[in-house]
Amino acid sequence: MASVLIWLGRLAFFALYCIQSYSLTSYPAEYKSDNSFYALILLFIPALGLWIWILCDEKNLQWLFAVWLAYVWLALIPLIGIIFGGDDPIENKLDSQVLFGPNVLKMTLCVTPLLLLLLLSTGTDSMSYRELIWLLSLRIALDLFDTVEMLEVVLEENIVPHNIPRSFENAIIAFACISFLLSPLQLMQIKLLYRGKWEYRDFASICHKTLQTLVVNCVFLGLRLALFLEYGKDASIFIAKNGIVILLSLFQICSECECCGCSD
């Protein structure tokens, strides 16, 4: 039986999930003056249904990654594509004087890492699970904040222009979406053993760290260096973050592969 704190966390997850789904679908509905876009909220239903099914029986907890996968692949990415993509993107029309302006969009996107933390930390009271998942969830949340910050670069270009070309913005949006798409793979690193015991899948961990390093952190580092050197956009904090994560990931990969003189 889950504790009161766990159930409060689940309630917070449900509330924030509903708020984010309504907020994201409101942007195309408001800026395209078409209330039919509110039907996009249905994209969030599969992940919510999976989550409720898992909560009914903790034996299904190993499928928690499927909730995040359904949320990211079926709901979050399509809405980001609608808001940021196209020949006449909604993000270029955002009005800071109305409710659904750029600031609310930033806050809405920042809910994503919090949803991830609540989803994972409220899965079960099992200490074996919580000790394993906390470190993993914090790392995923950090990567998600990194991705959201990249999207904020595109939003801020409409407020404080740095003469960033649209092609460069499209590259930022594309790799931000790739980063979101890869995030469910991190959850596939853990597996349920007998009697509620959990452990990492070594091969999945190595594959994901390699992809995350090459496709996300190295690319984000390159994009931020270009923003800083070519367009005068200050990104020093996240440049340092990407550099540190790349080094740590390389060390962890070598350690898990037991190569380059590294071992567990």
Side-chain angles (χ1 to χ4, degrees):
M1 183 69 177
S3 67
V4 174
L5 186 61
I6 292 294
W7 278 107
L8 287 175
R10 291 172 179 176
L11 181 62
F13 172 83
F14 179 79
L16 287 173
Y17 190 85
C18 292
I19 291 171
Q20 190 192 57
S21 61
Y22 173 74
S23 179
L24 287 177
T25 53
S26 293
Y27 280 89
E30 294 290 331
Y31 286 92
K32 292 183 180 293
S33 301
D34 186 352
N35 288 335
S36 65
F37 278 102
Y38 281 114
L40 291 171
I41 205 167
L42 295 175
L43 297 175
F44 292 84
I45 299 299
L48 190 62
L50 277 171
W51 179 64
I52 293 173
W53 172 71
I54 289 170
L55 293 186
C56 292
D57 188 351
E58 286 192 3
K59 293 180 181 178
N60 301 323
L61 196 61
Q62 59 186 328
W63 294 101
L64 204 59
F65 78 92
V67 176
W68 191 251
L69 187 148
Y71 160 70
V72 170
W73 288 22
L74 300 181
L76 184 63
I77 296 298
L79 264 299
I80 288 176
I82 292 171
I83 295 172
F84 288 87
D87 296 330
D88 187 21
I90 293 172
E91 55 93 4
N92 283 343
K93 306 175 183 177
L94 297 182
D95 184 355
S96 59
Q97 302 302 315
V98 301
L99 174 60
F100 294 108
N103 291 329
V104 170
L105 181 55
K106 290 177 187 178
M107 289 188 291
T108 300
L109 292 172
C110 285
V111 168
T112 303
L114 182 55
L115 285 176
L116 185 280
L117 290 173
L118 288 171
L119 174 67
L120 297 183
S121 62
T122 61
T124 178
D125 278 330
S126 168
M127 289 304 297
S128 172
Y129 169 82
R130 296 179 71 177
E131 289 175 0
L132 189 65
I133 208 68
W134 261 111
L135 184 60
L136 179 63
S137 60
L138 289 173
R139 176 162 185 167
I140 303 173
L142 181 61
D143 287 336
L144 291 173
F145 271 118
D146 192 8
T147 304
V148 170
E149 197 277 338
M150 290 300 294
L151 291 176
E152 287 184 4
V153 170
V154 179
L155 290 174
E156 290 175 0
E157 181 64 13
N158 297 315
I159 302 172
V160 183
H162 290 81
N163 297 318
I164 300 174
R166 183 61 192 176
S167 59
F168 196 98
E169 290 183 351
N170 287 336
I172 291 175
I173 296 167
F175 280 103
C177 289
I178 290 172
S179 177
F180 281 129
L181 287 171
L182 290 177
S183 62
L185 298 180
Q186 299 191 46
L187 302 183
M188 296 174 68
Q189 295 179 38
I190 60 172
K191 63 179 177 179
L192 176 64
L193 302 176
Y194 61 92
R195 296 179 182 177
K197 298 295 183 182
W198 297 77
E199 71 174 17
Y200 283 112
R201 291 184 173 95
D202 292 335
F203 180 74
S205 176
I206 293 169
C207 289
H208 176 265
K209 285 185 177 69
T210 303
L211 277 174
Q212 189 74 13
T213 301
L214 296 176
V215 181
V216 178
N217 280 290
C218 285
V219 173
F220 280 6
L221 178 61
L223 290 173
R224 288 190 169 108
L225 286 172
L227 287 170
F228 178 69
L229 297 174
E230 295 293 329
Y231 305 106
K233 172 69 176 176
D234 184 16
S236 55
I237 294 176
F238 281 92
I239 287 174
K241 177 266 177 187
N242 290 136
I244 291 170
V245 170
I246 289 169
L247 290 176
L248 288 176
S249 296
L250 289 175
F251 179 81
Q252 289 175 333
I253 292 168
C254 289
S255 180
E256 291 177 14
C257 294
E258 297 185 359
C259 63
C260 304
C262 298
S263 61
D264 293 333

